[in-house]
Amino acid sequence: MLTSCEKKIRSVQSCSLLCVLATFFCIILFYSSGVEAAPSKQPNVIIIFTDDQGSVDLNCYGAKDLITPHMDSIAKRGIRFTQFYAAAPVCSPSRAGLLTGRFPRRAGVPGNVSSKHGKEGMPAEQVTIAEMMKLAGYQTAHVGKWHLGYTPETMPNGQGFDTSFGHMGGCIDNYSHFFYWNGPNRHDLWENGKEIWRDGKFFPNLMVQQCQDYIKASRDKPFFLYWAINVPHYPLQGTDQWRKQYAHLPSPRDKYAAFVSTMDDCIGAVLKTLDECQLRENTIVIFQSDHGHSQEERTFGGGGSAGPYRGAKFSLFEGGIRVPAMISWPGTIAEGEERHQLSTGCDWLPTIAELTGATLPQRRLDGKSLKAVIDSKQAQSPHADFYWQIGKSWAVREGNWKLLGNPRDTSQQGKLTKADQLFLVDLSKDLGEKHNLATKNPEKVKHLTEIYNRYQKSLSE
């Protein structure tokens, strides 16, 4: 109202006497109220991005042998998606898709980037959610795993984050904080671009403390917190309490379960801090796994579950890309509801923009806002179709039809032959993707291939 009045004052010479009197009355009324001009408070945003968590590996997604009350509470106080897809079946491209709202290839991250210091990752010219939110007046923070570049320009502080704490490579030992894969042995723990040492401290606990401290320190100004949890990615280092709790389960489910519940405790501690700071109803909490569960040697060949789906990490069958995802904003969006529309990790950037009033980056986005879907069970998916690619493997989905090119089944649920280089499924009738319908439906294969080619052309433009 004051802004409107001031505009009128500036043009007073051209106003009629009535306009002048109205302006004067407006100003007097405003100041006599004794209330300062203040815009409505923008909501905080927290993204909880888990690592290698299986498609159904929490209670609200059907797990019967896991204890996950805090993750489940996000669904109880919000909306749970049942057909939500990661942008890719591996770490780096999935993260790039989420942070930029673009297909990983369009974001410059077609596959995993290097975990070596000095190696570039996602190009610095890409615009991240953090950069978008900074322009909207938000504080921005990264906590946890990065895996999108290991140079100053491509580390978090170079990609829009005011503060950063965590590891830059793909995985670390949670006690020594050394890279947990191949040699030479190298330490990987950083704070705002500088190497730090926290010998023997359990990394999940360090992340919780960082998140709690940040929330408390940032409570008077809207903030965006990207909490990229490195759990339940290997090494499976759950706490002793949970190892004992799950001792009855077979290996490697016991080790995986212990780490999932350890992560659940961490999430619960941060959500509790939101409540204690009386910020829960003014904070949008988004939860998603980066892709399906791992069946690699370093995770003892498995442990996670895709439930009814075929595939796992590295695969474009459903078990590699269909992931748990939820959004909660108590008092503003529905609570305890499900949404069955096709949605993707690329959609969070435009969704956050619409929910917070941030301005979208002026570039081509592949994600679409999910606000209409969040608001209504009856809304249509914003995607008529969608596309994924990792290496030579690709997939396109339109409606219930899905076509995979050069498919890879890391879950080893069935043999793939040369005849399966194009693999067509109707997900409404074959959720487990067991039967290839390509030879029986050549027109559908042709149509979906044309969609794939359209995406390929758009990526080269």
Side-chain angles (χ1 to χ4, degrees):
M1 183 165 62
L2 181 60
T3 301
S4 175
C5 292
E6 288 175 336
K7 288 180 180 178
K8 291 179 182 179
I9 290 174
R10 285 194 293 269
S11 60
V12 66
Q13 292 180 339
S14 62
C15 287
S16 64
L17 178 61
L18 182 61
C19 176
V20 173
L21 291 173
T23 299
F24 179 77
F25 177 76
C26 175
I27 295 173
I28 293 298
L29 181 63
F30 181 82
Y31 283 105
S32 66
S33 68
V35 178
E36 294 183 0
S40 58
K41 186 170 175 59
Q42 295 168 287
N44 307 307
V45 180
I46 298 177
I47 294 179
I48 302 173
F49 202 50
T50 67
D51 198 357
D52 287 17
Q53 186 173 7
S55 307
V56 299
D57 280 330
L58 53 158
N59 296 152
C60 64
Y61 276 86
K64 304 298 184 184
D65 58 347
L66 301 178
I67 301 171
T68 59
H70 303 298
M71 287 185 281
D72 297 333
S73 74
I74 301 173
K76 289 178 182 177
R77 303 187 73 182
I79 290 169
R80 181 177 76 89
F81 294 89
T82 64
Q83 294 197 69
F84 199 98
Y85 290 89
V90 290
C91 296
S92 297
S94 179
R95 292 158 201 276
L98 177 139
L99 286 174
T100 67
R102 313 180 91 187
F103 291 139
R105 283 185 60 193
R106 201 185 306 280
V109 188
N112 272 344
V113 305
S114 175
S115 292
K116 291 184 178 180
H117 187 220
K119 297 290 185 179
E120 294 183 345
M122 185 169 70
E125 61 266 22
Q126 295 296 325
V127 178
T128 67
I129 298 176
E131 289 166 314
M132 178 183 78
M133 299 303 275
K134 279 177 68 69
L135 290 176
Y138 277 71
Q139 305 168 87
T140 59
H142 154 262
V143 174
K145 176 174 173 174
W146 182 241
H147 205 189
L148 282 171
Y150 219 145
T151 63
E153 297 79 15
T154 60
M155 288 164 71
N157 297 110
Q159 296 281 25
F161 290 96
D162 298 324
T163 64
S164 171
F165 173 88
H167 62 96
M168 298 298 106
C171 51
I172 58 170
D173 173 82
N174 287 289
Y175 293 95
S176 69
H177 317 131
F178 275 69
F179 181 55
Y180 191 84
W181 188 242
N182 54 13
N185 294 333
R186 52 188 183 271
H187 180 256
D188 184 5
L189 186 60
W190 299 78
E191 184 170 27
N192 296 327
K194 295 182 179 180
E195 186 177 17
I196 59 172
W197 296 80
R198 298 290 185 270
D199 300 344
K201 299 291 181 66
F202 190 44
F203 185 65
N205 290 344
L206 292 175
M207 288 190 291
V208 168
Q209 189 65 57
Q210 286 288 323
C211 290
Q212 291 175 323
D213 290 347
Y214 183 76
I215 290 168
K216 293 173 184 176
S218 307
R219 60 195 299 178
D220 295 328
K221 182 181 177 182
F223 63 81
F224 166 60
L225 170 60
Y226 171 54
W227 184 15
I229 304 178
N230 65 323
V231 184
H233 193 290
Y234 50 79
L236 302 181
Q237 295 173 311
T239 58
D240 188 55
Q241 169 199 347
W242 290 112
R243 286 197 299 271
K244 292 176 180 177
Q245 181 75 33
Y246 290 116
H248 64 286
L249 294 180
S251 180
R253 184 67 171 177
D254 58 340
K255 302 171 185 63
Y256 176 86
F259 213 19
V260 168
S261 288
T262 298
M263 175 175 71
D264 189 72
D265 283 345
C266 293
I267 292 171
V270 173
L271 294 179
K272 182 180 179 182
T273 298
L274 277 180
D275 287 329
E276 291 172 345
C277 292
Q278 299 182 330
L279 293 175
R280 191 65 183 86
E281 292 191 352
N282 197 51
T283 302
I284 300 168
V285 175
I286 293 168
F287 175 98
Q288 186 201 319
S289 173
D290 66 342
H291 48 69
H293 67 286
S294 169
Q295 293 198 301
E296 298 162 86
E297 179 183 7
R298 294 203 172 205
T299 193
F300 302 94
S305 175
Y309 310 120
R310 183 178 188 176
K313 181 180 179 180
F314 298 112
S315 173
L316 292 176
F317 283 111
E318 295 289 284
I321 52 177
R322 192 184 287 218
V323 293
M326 303 172 280
I327 183 170
S328 174
W329 189 3
T332 300
I333 67 173
E335 299 187 31
E337 293 190 0
E338 295 179 349
R339 295 293 183 267
H340 306 297
Q341 299 91 329
L342 188 155
S343 308
T344 80
C346 294
D347 297 334
W348 289 129
L349 183 148
T351 301
I352 291 169
E354 187 165 6
L355 292 177
T356 64
T359 302
L360 285 173
Q362 295 301 303
R363 54 183 52 208
R364 181 168 184 166
L365 299 177
D366 300 296
K368 309 289 184 183
S369 174
L370 296 174
K371 185 177 184 301
V373 170
I374 291 168
D375 289 343
S376 173
K377 295 179 181 179
Q378 285 71 45
Q380 295 293 314
S381 167
H383 300 284
D385 48 57
F386 204 75
Y387 149 87
W388 299 264
Q389 183 148 6
I390 189 72
K392 295 181 179 180
S393 296
W394 56 269
V396 167
R397 179 173 170 181
E398 181 187 52
N400 288 317
W401 288 97
K402 179 180 173 186
L403 180 67
L404 297 94
N406 307 308
R408 179 184 180 189
D409 179 13
T410 47
S411 63
Q412 302 298 318
Q413 292 189 30
K415 186 177 181 181
L416 293 170
T417 68
K418 289 184 178 180
D420 295 316
Q421 288 183 340
L422 288 175
F423 198 102
L424 178 70
V425 294
D426 179 354
L427 292 171
S428 66
K429 299 176 181 178
D430 183 16
L431 198 58
E433 298 175 290
K434 297 294 195 299
H435 308 290
N436 187 357
L437 304 178
T439 57
K440 296 180 180 180
N441 297 271
E443 289 303 314
K444 182 62 69 174
V445 170
K446 179 181 178 182
H447 173 66
L448 293 176
T449 301
E450 289 172 350
I451 294 175
Y452 166 70
N453 290 333
R454 184 190 79 212
Y455 280 120
Q456 290 293 299
K457 182 179 179 182
S458 79
L459 289 165
S460 63
E461 291 173 350

